[in-house]
Amino acid sequence: MSDAYVFDACRTPRGRGKDTGALYTVRPIDLLATVLTALRDRNGFAPADVEDVVVGCVTQTGEQGTCIARMAALQAWGGLEGPGVTLNRFCGSGLEAVNHAAAMVGAGFADLVVAGGVESMSRVPMGSDGGSMFDPDFQWRVGSVPQGISADLIATLRGYSRADLDGFAVETQRRAGLALARDAFKRSLVPVKDRNGLTILAVDEHPRPDATVASLSQLQASFAMLGTQFGLDALVRRAYPAVDRIEHVHHAGNASGIVDGAAAVLVGSKAAGEKLGLKPRARIRGVGLAVSEPLIMLYGPMPASRKALARAGMTPADIDLYEVNEAFACVPLAFMDDLGVPREKINVNGGSIAFGHPLGATGAMILNTALDELEARGQSTALATLCIGGGMGIATILERV
């Protein structure tokens, strides 16, 4: 196997995933074409040099249907160049796209691949593609619940109080505010513009750095009614009889925000970099995939990260920075507890509670954030990981070159 290198990465700002959000008027194909165009312009490759465009997208229906990877490549680059494939590993799709590209390069099947992700949650609502995940018969047959119920179950089992979760959320908002104030994302951020070249959104729209524990305490728990009135708490207790009562402690302020956005990552071989005059920024040191019990699906990052570390011959202490997707506050809290990772190494510029989680794009975005921060700090290694619906986890280790 050959090394797979990351030559560059960029992303759009994340806009609030509502009809009042700045990116609501922007089609998902335009979001993705924005980063594909920027990646080409920043690195000077010809579209013919790219052997595939691998894009994560979770809700592949409506404007995100018909293989948006290929359609966006056509729009961004034109001509016959830029084959594309769109994949769906739920919340891990953007990182899976990067890992897929790295595997192609490492196996010698390709020399240069663009990976990334896109999700317009304002225009293509989560769940609008339907499927068995939303079928009550399936849920009771295999033991599957919405992620928010899983998050509350984890908090109950772990003894995480609402104050614990809200305290974490406030800190991640504070870190996001500091990162924005020092332009921590300026290397990677690509403004979204309209057809006239006027800027629609240049900075992340979702963070609320002024959030406090007191302000979050006013928010209603998001999943209590779903658990009690729709019988999902009973489904959970069937598998976990020791749980007398699920504490519903997650809400909009300590869970990831619904947002729009896109990201692109340029992955290639050493030979491709030399041919095109590109200097690698990092190499993919290791990857991991894992499964967890579907009712408690958010535990996936821990076994996935352990697999990635084992493949790389590393321990948790060898990693300088971690990006653990904040789908819900309980996830990074459990990750820190299980892997013994200190808070100062995790999500140092804030996470998805502050910035939002554009499902198919998030994995590529947090890998991008990790790489930028490694360079800013002069550090060497980072691990990005996400929990995934249905009981999965994914992780990728970057090592600066």
Side-chain angles (χ1 to χ4, degrees), residues 1-359:
M1 295 292 290
S2 302
D3 282 331
Y5 294 96
V6 174
F7 292 107
D8 199 13
C10 62
R11 69 171 178 90
T12 67
R14 280 160 281 200
R16 292 193 188 100
K18 302 178 180 179
D19 58 10
T20 55
L23 297 181
Y24 174 67
T25 60
V26 183
R27 301 177 304 165
I29 190 174
D30 296 323
L31 290 175
L32 185 53
T34 293
V35 290
L36 294 181
T37 300
L39 201 66
R40 178 200 62 191
D41 293 348
R42 286 157 60 113
N43 295 280
F45 60 79
D49 295 321
V50 177
E51 291 168 274
D52 207 357
V53 178
V54 185
V55 170
C57 182
V58 174
T59 310
Q60 294 182 35
T61 189
E63 291 181 325
Q64 290 178 170
T66 64
C67 190
I68 195 170
R70 171 60 176 158
M71 299 303 109
L74 280 172
Q75 179 164 311
W77 300 337
L80 299 176
E81 298 88 2
V85 60
T86 308
L87 57 82
N88 180 6
R89 200 185 287 281
F90 295 137
C91 299
S93 298
L95 195 57
E96 175 61 36
V98 176
N99 292 354
H100 185 101
M104 292 173 68
V105 171
F109 295 154
D111 283 317
L112 195 69
V113 180
V114 171
V118 64
E119 206 80 34
S120 176
M121 300 181 76
S122 64
R123 296 177 69 97
V124 187
M126 179 171 53
S128 57
D129 53 341
S132 56
M133 178 176 280
F134 305 101
D135 175 18
D137 179 71
F138 172 83
Q139 291 176 341
W140 279 88
R141 193 179 296 269
V142 306
S144 174
V145 293
Q147 286 193 336
I149 301 293
S150 292
D152 288 340
L153 172 60
I154 289 173
T156 300
L157 291 170
R158 295 276 181 144
Y160 299 147
S161 68
R162 174 153 172 169
D164 295 330
L165 304 174
D166 288 356
F168 180 91
V170 167
E171 174 60 13
T172 207
Q173 291 280 12
R174 186 189 72 85
R175 293 181 181 195
L178 292 174
L180 291 170
R182 65 181 176 86
D183 282 338
F185 313 113
K186 64 181 178 182
R187 175 167 184 170
S188 299
L189 209 54
V190 178
V192 178
K193 299 183 179 182
D194 65 16
R195 293 183 180 182
N196 298 314
L198 299 176
T199 297
I200 297 172
L201 186 65
V203 296
D204 293 296
E205 189 178 29
H206 193 268
R208 296 181 176 177
D210 58 346
T212 65
V213 172
S215 65
L216 295 189
S217 70
Q218 304 303 309
L219 299 176
Q220 295 280 334
S222 297
F223 306 101
M225 183 178 295
L226 195 63
T228 56
Q229 296 191 12
F230 288 85
L232 295 178
D233 283 2
L235 172 58
V236 170
R237 288 197 300 272
R238 185 180 70 179
Y240 293 88
V243 177
D244 180 59
R245 179 176 182 272
I246 296 176
E247 298 295 334
H248 291 287
V249 287
H250 286 89
H251 53 77
N254 59 29
S256 56
I258 292 174
V259 293
D260 306 331
V265 182
L266 187 61
V267 180
S269 64
K270 181 179 180 181
E274 291 174 346
K275 175 185 175 182
L276 298 171
L278 299 174
K279 182 179 179 182
R281 297 174 63 187
R283 71 182 177 105
I284 307 291
R285 176 78 181 266
V287 303
L289 280 171
V291 295
S292 62
E293 191 269 304
L295 280 174
I296 204 160
M297 65 184 77
L298 306 177
Y299 273 154
M302 286 76 99
S305 296
R306 290 191 182 100
K307 279 190 176 181
L309 289 165
R311 287 201 174 100
M314 304 174 75
T315 70
D318 295 325
I319 300 296
D320 295 314
L321 294 174
Y322 286 85
E323 285 290 327
V324 180
N325 189 40
E326 297 170 358
F328 299 89
C330 68
V331 178
L333 288 177
F335 188 91
M336 288 187 285
D337 287 344
D338 285 10
L339 270 71
V341 177
R343 181 71 176 94
E344 59 266 21
K345 281 190 174 186
I346 286 188
N347 301 353
V348 296
N349 288 325
S352 291
I353 290 172
F355 290 103
H357 176 21
L359 304 178

